[in-house]
Amino acid sequence: MAKKNATTGKFLSKDSSIYEIEDLEGPPGVIRTKSAKTVCPIDGKMGAAYVHTLQGEDHVGEAAHMLSYSWGYSIGDIVDTLTGFCLQNNLDPKRTYIWMCCLCVNQHRVVDNNANDQSGMTAPAKIDFFSIFGERVKKIGHLLAMMAPWKAPIYITRVWCIFEIFTAHRTGGCKVDIVMPPREKQSLEQDVLDNEGGINALYETLGNTKVENAKASEESDRLAILTKVMYPHLSHLDSVVCLPAVLFVF
């Protein structure tokens, strides 16, 4: 059942995407509203990351996994994917802590950062997303790359997602698991195992992966990632993105 958000006036449900529950170009949504009156323990200013509002081991703890995903995914699909991952690996959902950027990065500062960029002003403490995402991948050491829908994953069209899986690939000892909503996994397995068309569709999807065409919410982010990090490796980067998906199936 859809529920109206008091701040934005939007009706939200499990089918709502992260973009819909927290539009960084609009008024505070679910995430920023929850943390608006919490002092950030990092910079001491009002407005914190969502995770800093949580207490108790049933709700927060040191992350053993990092979810690499798109803000275009729905809340329901993300929950189903992580629940399925826990069940498949005999993990207690109440004690399985997963780092997600929407909840663990201070979105108040992201909005401030974007506003300064657009105005031409220099932010007092500009957010270094390369360090945030890159260091989290290395420190946590276990990346969950969420691929959905499997025939045309949004994941491989988002440059930050590709940066994360690329960083994991280059980090020794970092594990990568491909995860997806149960219905997508069932559809993939059935199509691949039951008919030749399914496996051809998979190869076509992977073959169409072009890292240089990946998008970002901020064009400056896309150009920075491609220029500073990925262009020297584009010759094999497409295969880096595709390989885990092939291994997942076979």
Side-chain angles (χ1 to χ4, degrees):
M1 179 182 294
K3 184 177 180 180
K4 188 175 183 179
N5 181 271
T7 304
T8 64
K10 294 180 179 179
F11 284 91
L12 304 175
S13 71
K14 68 177 184 178
D15 296 322
S16 299
S17 69
I18 302 294
Y19 283 126
E20 291 173 317
I21 71 166
E22 191 58 63
D23 180 1
L24 298 182
E25 296 183 355
V30 173
I31 294 172
R32 282 183 289 158
T33 297
K34 172 74 172 178
S35 57
K37 296 182 179 180
T38 300
V39 175
C40 176
I42 297 174
D43 61 19
K45 298 179 180 179
M46 189 64 72
Y50 188 96
V51 69
H52 292 139
T53 70
L54 305 178
Q55 297 180 350
E57 61 180 359
D58 280 351
H59 305 290
V60 64
E62 184 175 353
H65 317 278
M66 174 179 174
L67 183 66
S68 184
Y69 68 109
S70 165
W71 277 39
Y73 290 148
S74 72
I75 297 298
D77 278 350
I78 292 173
V79 171
D80 289 346
T81 296
L82 295 179
T83 300
F85 172 76
C86 289
L87 292 175
Q88 183 177 346
N89 292 278
N90 297 315
L91 299 173
D92 180 359
K94 283 289 189 180
R95 297 293 180 271
T96 303
Y97 306 115
I98 297 174
W99 194 93
M100 293 179 59
C101 65
C102 67
L103 303 179
C104 297
V105 172
N106 189 332
Q107 301 304 328
H108 298 280
R109 302 298 174 266
V110 173
V111 170
D112 293 342
N113 189 82
N114 291 343
N116 283 319
D117 282 347
Q118 292 171 7
S119 67
M121 297 175 61
T122 301
K126 188 174 178 62
I127 298 175
D128 183 357
F129 288 110
F130 283 105
S131 295
I132 290 175
F133 293 131
E135 290 304 316
R136 287 298 179 279
V137 171
K138 295 175 183 177
K139 183 176 181 180
I140 294 173
H142 190 179
L143 191 75
L144 305 180
M146 183 174 169
M147 300 280 183
W150 79 263
K151 290 185 178 180
I154 296 175
Y155 186 93
I156 60 178
T157 70
R158 307 305 298 175
V159 74
W160 278 114
C161 294
I162 294 174
F163 170 73
E164 289 164 1
I165 201 169
F166 173 69
T167 302
H169 175 74
R170 298 187 68 194
T171 301
C174 186
K175 182 179 180 181
V176 176
D177 277 332
I178 302 299
V179 295
M180 60 183 66
R183 71 172 188 281
E184 291 293 333
K185 182 179 179 182
Q186 293 170 3
S187 174
L188 170 59
E189 292 173 345
Q190 182 174 350
D191 284 353
V192 169
L193 296 176
D194 290 354
N195 63 81
E196 184 178 344
I199 191 64
N200 288 338
L202 173 62
Y203 282 129
E204 182 178 357
T205 296
L206 299 178
N208 288 334
T209 300
K210 298 296 180 185
V211 170
E212 61 267 35
N213 294 333
K215 305 297 183 183
S217 298
E218 298 292 330
E219 178 64 9
S220 59
D221 288 348
R222 188 185 77 86
L223 293 176
I225 292 173
L226 292 177
T227 301
K228 296 180 181 180
V229 181
M230 294 183 175
Y231 274 144
H233 307 278
L234 279 179
S235 60
H236 72 276
L237 188 53
D238 291 337
S239 62
V240 168
V241 176
C242 296
L243 182 58
V246 175
L247 294 177
F248 172 81
V249 178
F250 299 103

